[in-house]
Structures are given as structure tokens and as C-alpha cells.
Amino acid sequence: NAGVTQTPKFQVLKTGQSMTLQCAQDMNHNSMYWYRQDPGMGLRLIYYSASEGTTDKGEVPNGYNVSRLNKREFSLRLESAAPSQTSVYFCASGAGFLAKNIQYFGAGTRLSVL
Amino acid sequence: AQSVTQPDIHITVSEGASLELRCNYSYGATPYLFWYVQSPGQGLQLLLKYFSGDTLVQGIKGFEAEFKRSQSSFNLRKPSVHWSDAAEYFCAVGMTTDSWGKLQFGAGTQVVVTP
């Protein structure tokens, strides 16, 4: 049972570098989400995708881009990393309102920007 | 504005003692309600959920939660805590009118279990 798989698990970047966080789900879910987790702030939604080819901004989208490559995969890109983007990033998937908003989470990517 | 509040940032509890974590929300109508648990270095795991009906819901790992409409609360309880319950707990709400299934999370409560 793979569920939601995120790669990499850890990453250290220098300010200004770019990288892509990968996420794949094998539960045939239409909806996918990217969150960031910061101490004392819970999880904040960065971007989400309701279906292949559609994406929309969440609460904190600045500095990020996303791609919904197909139904399984949803990637998050940092074009020019900043120290403020040091965080733990979680990908989630769900069947949306059809499943009453239940979401399933990956194990996270721990990113440090120096 | 819609919000989810977990008043306790940090709780320390002795093994075998009872645990209650508080969650309050501010929404126009009763939302979908969830509790997730995050063990150190892990992702989030769904503990339990409330959609409608019986206001006391049972979850995994011996947890239960009670929905109180009059208090806009969804508090999580466990009668006897085990050392393995040390984790961070998140309350989350979803709007029933949201077609995209988005969730809003509280800030989390860190639970420490002492021997």
C-alpha cells in the first residue's frame, strides 16, 4: 500500500537555487494538495488541483509553482528558493467532496534553504 | 473569517492518565471535522472524522471525539494514554460546500507522555 509518495525526503538548498518536489498517489483520487508546515502554524495550503490539468492557489502560493502532470502526479516547484521557504512540505490526495474532504498524506519533504 | 483554533500548544500527560485536546471552529454552518495525528518525522494519519449524526465518534488507537454544535467544538479524548501517543495532533475542518475538498488546519497540539 503505497498511498501518497513524496520525493525527496530531505533536501538542502542554497538561496536562489531551484528544485521540484515530486508527489504521486495510487488511490485514483481526483484532488491533490500541497501544504507547508511551520512550527505553531499548522498546515497551510499552497496549491491544489481538483483534476488533471487544473490547479489553483491556496493560502500561501507566492514563490511556488505546481504542475498536475497526470491524475497520479502533482509536483511543486521552487524557482528561486528563499530562507523563508525552509519548511516541511506535505502532499495529500483525496476524492474531494465526494469523500467529504478526507485527505491522505505523504510522509513529507523536509527542506532547508541556507 | 473562518478559523480553526487549538488553544493548547503543548500538553504533558502521564502514561495511563486521560487526555483531552480541544478544538474550536468558526464557520457559517457545521463543517466536516477531522483529527489527524503526526508522529515524529512522519506524515499525518487520520484518527477520526465527523460528518453528521451521532455526536460521539470513535477512531483508531482508542481515540474518540465529541462534536458540540452549541460550542462549535470537536474535542479529542483518550481514557488512558500510552507512551506511543506522544505526537502532534491536528484538528481540521472542511466546508461542506467546497467542491475541491479543501481542509483548514489548526496550529496543532504537541502531546508529551511522561512515565
Side-chain angles (χ1 to χ4, degrees):
Chain A
N1 287 347
V4 180
T5 303
Q6 291 183 237
T7 56
K9 294 188 185 307
F10 301 94
Q11 185 71 48
V12 178
L13 293 178
K14 295 180 180 179
T15 297
Q17 287 185 316
S18 62
M19 78 160 296
T20 300
L21 282 64
Q22 305 287 353
C23 175
Q25 54 96 2
D26 62 2
M27 294 175 281
N28 201 36
H29 287 153
N30 285 323
S31 298
M32 297 185 73
Y33 314 84
W34 276 106
Y35 294 89
R36 59 178 290 172
Q37 181 186 24
D38 302 293
M41 304 192 75
L43 277 73
R44 293 180 293 168
L45 183 63
I46 305 172
Y47 270 94
Y48 62 98
S49 170
S51 62
E52 181 180 348
T54 68
T55 61
D56 209 342
K57 296 177 180 179
E59 181 183 356
V60 288
N62 291 346
Y64 305 95
N65 286 300
V66 291
S67 295
R68 183 74 182 269
L69 305 172
N70 47 55
K71 191 170 186 177
R72 290 187 65 248
E73 298 172 290
F74 188 37
S75 62
L76 178 72
R77 183 161 178 83
L78 286 69
E79 292 289 353
S80 179
S84 61
Q85 295 178 305
T86 293
S87 188
V88 182
Y89 292 86
F90 286 101
C91 177
S93 73
F97 74 96
L98 293 175
K100 296 182 170 60
N101 302 32
I102 296 175
Q103 293 182 16
Y104 300 89
F105 285 80
T109 295
R110 285 148 184 82
L111 175 67
S112 292
V113 183
L114 306 177
Chain B
Q2 299 156 349
S3 65
V4 183
T5 302
Q6 294 181 244
D8 304 304
I9 296 172
H10 189 274
I11 286 180
T12 299
V13 59
S14 299
E15 192 168 13
S18 63
L19 175 68
E20 181 168 13
L21 305 182
R22 296 180 291 164
C23 175
N24 294 94
Y25 63 89
S26 174
Y27 276 83
T30 300
Y32 301 133
L33 297 160
F34 307 87
W35 276 99
Y36 283 86
V37 59
Q38 183 184 25
S39 298
Q42 302 298 314
L44 278 72
Q45 181 182 21
L46 180 64
L47 273 180
L48 47 74
K49 56 194 180 292
Y50 174 80
F51 299 144
S52 64
D54 193 346
T55 57
L56 187 64
V57 294
Q58 303 296 320
I60 61 171
K61 305 186 180 187
F63 283 91
E64 66 179 25
E66 185 173 15
F67 167 62
K68 291 187 177 179
R69 185 188 308 273
S70 62
Q71 299 177 17
S72 296
S73 68
F74 188 55
N75 294 348
L76 181 71
R77 298 195 293 253
K78 186 168 185 178
S80 177
V81 168
H82 187 261
W83 63 266
S84 60
D85 294 321
E88 190 157 21
Y89 293 79
F90 293 95
C91 179
V93 302
M95 291 186 67
T96 59
T97 55
D98 184 343
S99 301
W100 288 266
K102 299 192 298 295
L103 295 178
Q104 184 166 356
F105 285 82
T109 298
Q110 185 72 46
V111 173
V112 173
V113 180
T114 60

